[in-house]
């Protein structure tokens, strides 16, 4: 049975209260309204349904539902239960969720946080899956807006001003060489640094000029960049197998400390900020909140380990 058009939530609750209480005064108290207001609602119910739904009880105590009112009970409960379910907050249960979380990030942050993030998600949400995708800055805004990407983790990229962001941690550059390098384990001075052969990781622009070279140029110096790669992942192995030096974020290089020696570069380089960004559409989504919390916990753990 369908409810007629023109009925609203107030009338639905009034009908439910009268069916349960079968007393106008008690139903009004239950709804927190006055008896005149309840009488007005009864009049509206009669007008909407085209007939009386309640009549006065013969003994003068309360009201009795008509057969039409009784026939409405099942449909009414279904509607009210549906409304209640609609208004309930969505609860995300990581233990049972089979959601696929999509995180856009380049190689560098993936190497920094990827393994720890997967292990944390796996521990708490064993049925969920994690997908890392390379961000395309030309389409990233649209993908975030459409919900195709849950989170973007980046270092220094220009991002959409409408996104919500949170700093995860800061990092700084260090220089690395292979263990047993011919120059020995002495600290790097500017002359030694500039005369050494270097590997540069460059994903855009001039493949043999990076931030280190721009800082050196301001000092009137230069270095020898003899090899360039677009991959952060291959850089540590290339340095470990050659006499090349490379200068990259500390949190990346320290993972390869068993094969590399790390040194402070002899020039002042800007620090790096690793940030997480998400679209406002996901700001109050329970699953997205949980994912962000895992990322923040991983970042916090890396900060504590640094300390």
């Amino acid at each position: 049975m369908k409810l007629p058009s023109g009925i609203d939530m107030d009338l639905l609750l009034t009908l439910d209260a009268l069916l349960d209480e079968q007393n106008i005064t008690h139903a009004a108290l239950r709804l927190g309204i006055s008896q005149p207001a309840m009488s007005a609602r009864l009049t509206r119910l009669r007008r909407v349904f085209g007939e009386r739904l309640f009549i006065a009880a013969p003994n003068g105590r309360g009201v009795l539902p008509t057969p039409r009112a009784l026939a409405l009970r099942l449909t009414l409960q279904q509607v009210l239960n549906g409304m209640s379910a609609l208004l309930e907050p969505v609860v995300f249960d990581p233990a049972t969720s089979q959601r696929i979380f999509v995180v856009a990030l380049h190689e560098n942050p993936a190497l920094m946080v990827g393994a720890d993030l997967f292990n944390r998600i796996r521990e708490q949400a064993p049925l969920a899956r994690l997908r890392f995708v390379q961000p395309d800055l030309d389409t990233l805004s649209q993908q975030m807006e459409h919900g195709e990407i849950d989170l973007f983790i980046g270092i220094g990229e220009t991002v959409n001003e409408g996104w919500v962001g949170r700093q995860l941690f800061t990092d700084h550059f260090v220089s690395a060489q292979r263990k047993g390098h011919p120059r020995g384990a002495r600290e790097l001075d500017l002359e030694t640094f500039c005369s050494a052969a270097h590997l540069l990781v460059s994903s855009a622009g001039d493949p043999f000029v990076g931030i280190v070279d721009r800082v050196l140029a301001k000092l009137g110096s230069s270095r020898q960049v003899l090899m360039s790669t677009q991959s952060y992942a291959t850089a540590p192995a290339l340095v470990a197998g050659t006499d090349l030096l490379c200068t990259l974020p500390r949190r990346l290089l320290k993972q390869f400390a068993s094969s590399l020696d790390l040194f402070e570069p002899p020039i002042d380089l800007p620090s790096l900020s690793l940030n997480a960004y998400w679209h406002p559409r996901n700001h109050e989504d329970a699953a997205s909140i949980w994912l962000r919390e895992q990322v923040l916990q991983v970042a916090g753990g890396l900060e504590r380990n640094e300390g």
Side-chain angles (χ1 to χ4, degrees):
M1 176 183 296
K2 294 183 179 180
L3 294 174
S5 61
I7 195 165
D8 57 26
M9 197 64 184
D10 285 343
L11 291 186
L12 290 176
L13 293 174
T14 298
L15 180 57
D16 182 56
L18 285 168
L19 283 168
D20 284 348
E21 303 291 343
Q22 297 191 15
N23 183 289
I24 292 177
T25 300
H26 294 169
L29 288 172
R30 172 170 158 176
L31 296 174
I33 61 176
S34 65
Q35 278 197 254
M38 175 60 78
S39 297
R41 289 190 185 185
L42 268 172
T43 301
R44 286 181 60 204
L45 279 171
R46 180 173 181 175
R47 185 168 60 250
V48 168
F49 284 92
E51 62 182 274
R52 289 190 300 170
L53 297 181
F54 298 90
I55 62 171
N59 59 10
R61 296 180 180 177
V63 293
L64 297 176
T66 66
R68 176 75 187 281
L70 292 173
L72 289 169
R73 187 188 291 271
L74 178 59
T75 301
L76 177 64
Q77 287 304 313
Q78 291 173 341
V79 171
L80 291 176
N81 290 340
M83 292 294 292
S84 177
L86 183 66
L87 296 173
E88 284 182 0
V90 176
V91 177
F92 173 73
D93 182 7
T96 60
S97 174
Q98 298 184 40
R99 179 159 172 168
I100 299 174
F101 292 104
V102 183
V103 180
L105 71 178
H106 291 293
E107 259 189 334
N108 188 0
L111 289 167
M112 290 183 185
V113 303
D116 289 341
L117 180 59
F118 170 78
N119 290 334
R120 186 174 181 86
I121 289 177
R122 180 68 174 172
E123 178 182 350
Q124 299 186 43
L127 303 179
R129 290 187 285 177
L130 180 63
R131 182 183 176 210
F132 283 173
V133 298
Q134 282 279 351
D136 180 346
L137 298 182
D138 291 332
T139 61
L140 186 59
S141 289
Q142 185 176 7
Q143 290 175 306
M144 296 271 277
E145 183 176 336
H146 292 169
E148 298 169 12
I149 291 175
D150 297 298
L151 200 65
F152 169 54
I153 299 176
I155 299 177
E157 289 89 349
T158 301
V159 299
N160 190 303
E161 293 183 356
W163 293 347
V164 185
R166 175 80 177 267
Q167 184 182 85
L168 299 180
F169 53 72
T170 58
D171 201 2
H172 67 281
F173 288 100
V174 295
S175 297
Q177 66 182 35
R178 70 175 176 87
K179 289 189 178 297
H181 194 282
R183 79 167 196 88
R186 301 182 307 277
E187 292 297 319
L188 284 167
D189 57 36
L190 185 60
E191 181 180 357
T192 302
F193 185 81
C194 290
S195 62
H198 291 260
L199 167 71
L200 172 66
V201 179
S202 176
S203 58
D206 189 329
F208 293 97
V209 176
I211 187 171
V212 172
D213 304 284
R214 290 188 286 272
V215 171
L216 284 172
K218 291 180 180 179
L219 299 174
S221 300
S222 63
R223 62 175 179 165
Q224 302 181 72
V225 180
L226 300 186
M227 186 175 185
S228 176
T229 178
Q230 290 187 318
S231 172
Y232 282 92
T234 61
L238 290 170
V239 173
T242 67
D243 289 337
L244 294 167
L245 274 61
C246 74
T247 301
L248 290 171
R250 175 179 174 79
R251 282 187 173 85
L252 169 61
L253 289 174
K254 70 178 293 187
Q255 299 179 63
F256 304 93
S258 60
S259 59
L260 301 177
D261 289 325
L262 305 185
F263 303 89
E264 291 296 324
I267 54 175
D268 291 329
L269 295 169
S271 61
L272 303 169
S273 176
L274 187 69
N275 305 299
Y277 302 96
W278 58 95
H279 196 278
R281 73 192 298 276
N282 291 335
H283 190 61
E284 297 181 4
D285 174 64
S288 298
I289 291 172
W290 181 84
L291 173 63
R292 297 196 296 269
E293 179 60 28
Q294 308 321 302
V295 172
L296 289 171
Q297 289 296 329
V298 166
L302 291 173
E303 285 280 69
R304 289 190 292 273
N305 290 340
E306 280 291 297

